[in-house]
Every structure is written in structure tokens, then in C-alpha cells.
Amino acid sequence: PALFFSIPTLLVVDGAMRITVGRTLIGSTRAVPNNFMLVVCCVCTQYSYCVSTNPGHKQGLSAFVGNGSRYCSALDEPRQLPVAILGTFAVLAVWSAIFNRVFRHGILLISPIRRVERKQKADDPPPSAGLGLVDPAGTAKEEAMKRLVEEPEKMSAWYSTNLVHTMGFMFVQFKIFLGRFDVRTMRAALAGVHKVEQAVPTRPFEGRSELWFDFVADTGDGFNSTYSIARSLAQPQLNVKVPSQVFGRLHQKVSSLWSKASGRFDGPRRSQSSSCFAQVAEDDGDSSPALKRQSSGSFSPAASDSMGVAAEKNFGLPRGDLLLHGGDLAYPHPSLDVYESRLIRPYDAALAAPQGADSVEVASKSDAASSKLAAKSSAPLCWMIPGNHDWFDGLETFLHTICGRHWFGGWHLPQTNLYWALELPHRWFVLGFDLGLNDDLD
């Protein structure tokens, strides 16, 4: 009876919510079984409690009436059972509101009603809501950015029954598919033994004397947190204020470490004059310097304190020419929709690709036009390694989105493999290891 009567009751409550608050209980394929089975389980639990605690259970639930338990009797009466189900809905709604306040996600999966979009005409440009589709007019991207602001993604619901879907997805992937297949083995086999054994580090910054880089990891959760970090990474310069005494000690420490480390280099050495710390002299009563970037790429002091005595020193940290991502691109599990809404669009909103770039193209990166455009526009580069959450689908989404695409917002993606080695100026190296799910290297 609980299964039978919960269906129309759920539809009635859903219709009332659509009219009154503009929300729905069946907004997604995951919400329907979640909310339905939650109500059914709660009603069955109440039924079991009534049977086990009332002495009249052997004669049937109708005996509960004589013992003063009218609610238990309603659970066995077809005409009164919908009332009990509505009461269960009300209690679950209250608990869901409390959980939503505390954990930012309720027990019931409730979502806003989606707006009905007009049908696409024959002369309209094709949509690009999904990855890998073309949108030459940019109209679909504009609509996607508008929805990004109007309906921003919330933080992942780690304390919701929604997590059951992710755990089931992980179990199937780990025990059935990933336990018998490793995509790295296939890619190495397709590349060929000679290409693998003769691989050399990539040298994207050859000839550079100075390199600034940024590091980020564990992105793609809620929109606010993802966009805040992306916007900071996209800034041409981040201004930092440091007390003069601390700055002086920091300057001496960095200069000492650099002089010790520079003796290890056999190749060309970077002069200390190119360092932002070395550009700022000790404070001897002069005005407080602020570092400004010159056309040569180095930094020099500029007077910023008209009082003559500075309590703080200002210097700017430039945007990195290289962005390193440490894994776990989006949560809770990888898919094209999750990557698009929780990762790609926030970073594209923070730093758009240069004019003429195809941000959704998926094609070979050998001698690609995107590399020439990135060099012409001085776009920063980006390399990533997959984390454990990126492995949940066997790296299918990572390979398509990162190894297959050319742009990550305004950052160019020359990366073609899951793991890599970069040679930086002055014989420094960055090794990007893919540890898989069991800390094993290919």
C-alpha cells in the first residue's frame, strides 16, 4: 500500500509546490527515486514500529484503534493512508529544511522549475551547451554564462542521499571496469614502445630567464569558491603588502638562498636584478617602493608613499605564465556536464580565451593553430594531472576535456597525455605523476 499510494501523493505535493513556490520534487531522474523511496521507507518504518510495539498486532492493525493508536490504524486503512503519507512528507520537509541550513543540502531533493526554452529555428546557430559542439555566433555560450550567474552551482552535497548515487557509480566502475582495465596501458600501447622509451621533457619556456607559475587543485565544487580562485589566478597582478621589517628579512633570506642555489647551475644564470625581492632595496628612509612590471618582464621599484617613511612595502605578484593543476578537477564524480558547469564555465568567465580561439574544439594538438594563437597572444599555459575523483569514470572525461581540448578558459592546453615532464628555465623540472587509484605509476 505504501508503494501504491505514495505515487499519487508525491505527484499532488509536487503540483502544489510548483504552483506555490516554483519548485519540484521530480526535477531530475535522480530526484524521482530518491524522494519516492525515502517516503516509502519512512512509512514502512512507521508500520513496522506499530506492529512491533502494539500488543494487538497479532489480530491485525485494526486492533490498534481500541488501544488508542489511531495513527497506526491509518497506516492500514486505504482511505487514511494518504493522510499518513502527507504527514510523513511534512516531517521530512521540516528535517530537510534543517539539514539545508546546517549542511547546505536537504534530505529531499528539491530543485527549481526549469524554464521552457523556445524551439530552435532552422537558421539559428547550433547550441554548444555540451562539450565538443560548435557555436560560431557565440550565442549559446552567452546564454550558458547567463545561466551560470542566475543559477550558480552549489557545493557538492556530501551529506545528502545524493551521495548514494556517487558511491554506487564508484563501486561499479572500480569492481567491474577499472579493476580489469587501465587506460594508461592502452595509451602506451597505441603510442608505441619506441615513442615511450624515447620521450623527452617538453620545453615550452626554452630561452626564458625567468618564469612565474601558479598552482591550484581540488577545483570544481561550488561556483563561488571555484570562480573566486579562478578570478585570482586570472588577475594580471596581485598586489601584496608586507611590513618593512618583514620584507627586509625576507629579502635577505631569498638572496641568501639564491646565491647558494645558483652555484648548482651549469647553464645561464638569472641575475639577481630580475628578482622582485632584489629590485627593492633596504628601507633607509626613502619612500615605500611598489613593484611595477616593465616591458622586459622584470620588476623595478616605484615610489608610492608621499609621506617619506613607509610602514609597509608593496609589490606585485604577476600572473603565472604556467598554471599547474594538482588533480580533482570537479566534484563529486566526473562527467561532461559536471566538468562544463563546475569547472570550464567558471574559469572561462574569469579569463576568456583570446579572440579567434575555439574553446570547445576537440582535435589533434600536433602543429595546431591554437598553439600559434597562444604564442601570438602570450596566453598562459596549463598542465594538469588527474586525481582520484577524475579516475571514477576511467579518465574518459579527463581525456576528452583536458587532453583533447585546446583551451581551459584563457589558459592554453598543450597537454596530450595523463602524465608529463616539463623543463623550466635554469634546468628545473616539473614532473606530473598520475598515481591512478592505487598509487601506481605507469
Side-chain angles (χ1 to χ4, degrees):
L3 290 171
F4 179 79
F5 285 100
S6 292
I7 296 177
T9 307
L10 178 66
L11 295 178
V12 170
V13 174
D14 178 75
M17 291 181 61
R18 287 173 179 267
I19 297 174
T20 56
V21 297
R23 293 182 174 272
T24 176
L25 291 167
I26 53 176
S28 64
T29 55
R30 198 184 312 171
V32 175
N34 177 90
N35 297 334
F36 175 70
M37 295 306 300
L38 184 62
V39 174
V40 171
C41 290
C42 290
V43 173
C44 292
T45 301
Q46 297 174 69
Y47 181 91
S48 300
Y49 175 79
C50 291
V51 170
S52 61
T53 58
N54 198 291
H57 69 275
K58 294 182 180 180
Q59 290 76 29
L61 290 178
S62 58
F64 291 155
V65 179
N67 296 326
S69 182
R70 294 185 177 182
Y71 183 79
C72 289
S73 178
L75 294 175
D76 194 42
E77 175 60 42
R79 291 174 298 180
Q80 300 181 22
L81 182 58
V83 179
I85 295 177
L86 286 175
T88 303
F89 260 120
V91 174
L92 288 175
V94 173
W95 277 106
S96 183
I98 296 175
F99 271 70
N100 190 42
R101 290 281 185 178
V102 178
F103 301 116
R104 297 185 179 181
H105 200 284
I107 303 174
L108 292 170
L109 295 184
I110 304 175
S111 59
I113 300 177
R114 296 181 179 178
R115 295 187 298 271
V116 179
E117 300 180 356
R118 66 179 181 88
K119 295 183 179 180
Q120 184 177 354
K121 297 181 180 180
D123 56 346
D124 286 347
S128 65
L131 301 179
L133 300 181
V134 180
D135 180 28
T139 54
K141 180 179 179 181
E142 183 178 351
E143 288 295 326
M145 290 300 176
K146 184 178 179 180
R147 291 195 302 269
L148 184 69
V149 177
E150 294 178 350
E151 302 176 5
E153 292 286 349
K154 296 182 179 180
M155 301 293 286
S156 298
W158 300 110
Y159 297 99
S160 169
T161 52
N162 196 11
L163 188 61
V164 176
H165 173 267
T166 300
M167 297 298 294
F169 181 80
M170 290 168 52
F171 176 81
V172 173
Q173 290 288 337
F174 293 168
K175 299 300 182 182
I176 299 179
F177 296 106
L178 300 185
R180 297 172 173 82
F181 174 75
D182 191 333
V183 69
R184 297 174 298 182
T185 305
M186 181 189 69
R187 291 179 62 84
L190 293 176
V193 178
H194 297 288
K195 185 176 181 180
V196 173
E197 293 180 348
Q198 298 175 4
V200 296
T202 306
R203 299 181 177 89
F205 307 103
E206 193 170 6
R208 297 279 294 271
S209 62
E210 181 175 296
L211 176 69
W212 291 75
F213 70 91
D214 298 319
F215 177 85
V216 69
D218 302 294
T219 54
D221 204 332
F223 171 80
N224 291 340
S225 56
T226 302
Y227 180 78
S228 298
I229 298 298
R231 187 60 179 167
S232 298
L233 293 170
Q235 294 298 317
Q237 179 171 294
L238 294 178
N239 296 320
V240 181
K241 293 183 178 181
V242 178
S244 298
Q245 296 179 353
V246 177
F247 189 92
R249 293 195 299 267
L250 186 61
H251 171 229
Q252 293 178 355
K253 184 68 173 178
V254 171
S255 299
S256 175
L257 292 175
W258 177 256
S259 61
K260 294 179 180 179
S262 60
R264 302 179 181 180
F265 301 142
D266 298 330
R269 302 178 182 178
R270 180 181 69 172
S271 61
Q272 291 189 12
S273 61
S274 65
S275 170
C276 70
F277 292 105
Q279 287 288 343
V280 182
E282 295 291 335
D283 184 21
D284 54 359
D286 295 334
S287 59
S288 173
L291 297 176
K292 61 181 181 180
R293 193 158 201 175
Q294 298 177 334
S295 58
S296 61
S298 60
F299 292 80
S300 61
S304 62
D305 189 356
S306 59
M307 301 301 294
V309 178
E312 291 181 331
K313 288 183 179 294
N314 305 321
F315 63 97
L317 300 177
R319 179 175 61 210
D321 297 314
L322 170 64
L323 174 62
L324 299 174
H325 197 297
D328 284 352
L329 275 63
Y331 295 99
H333 60 270
S335 69
L336 295 181
D337 291 337
V338 170
Y339 269 47
E340 177 78 5
S341 60
R342 294 182 176 270
L343 178 70
I344 301 298
R345 290 177 185 170
Y347 272 78
D348 197 14
L351 181 63
Q355 187 70 25
D358 190 345
S359 58
V360 296
E361 178 187 10
V362 179
S364 173
K365 296 185 179 181
S366 58
D367 299 328
S370 60
S371 299
K372 300 178 182 179
L373 178 61
K376 180 180 179 181
S377 58
S378 300
L381 307 182
C382 179
W383 266 267
M384 305 184 184
I385 58 174
N388 62 309
H389 282 264
D390 304 310
W391 263 92
F392 288 172
D393 67 342
L395 296 177
E396 178 182 356
T397 307
F398 186 92
L399 288 171
H400 180 94
T401 308
I402 305 305
C403 298
R405 286 172 55 136
H406 294 257
W407 294 95
F408 173 59
W411 288 266
H412 186 233
L413 290 172
Q415 179 176 345
T416 59
N417 200 8
L418 303 169
Y419 46 92
W420 36 262
L422 301 180
E423 184 173 348
L424 308 183
H426 308 293
R427 300 181 64 184
W428 283 81
F429 293 85
V430 179
L431 305 180
F433 292 117
D434 175 18
L435 301 180
L437 292 171
N438 298 313
D439 294 336
D440 59 328
L441 298 178
D442 188 353

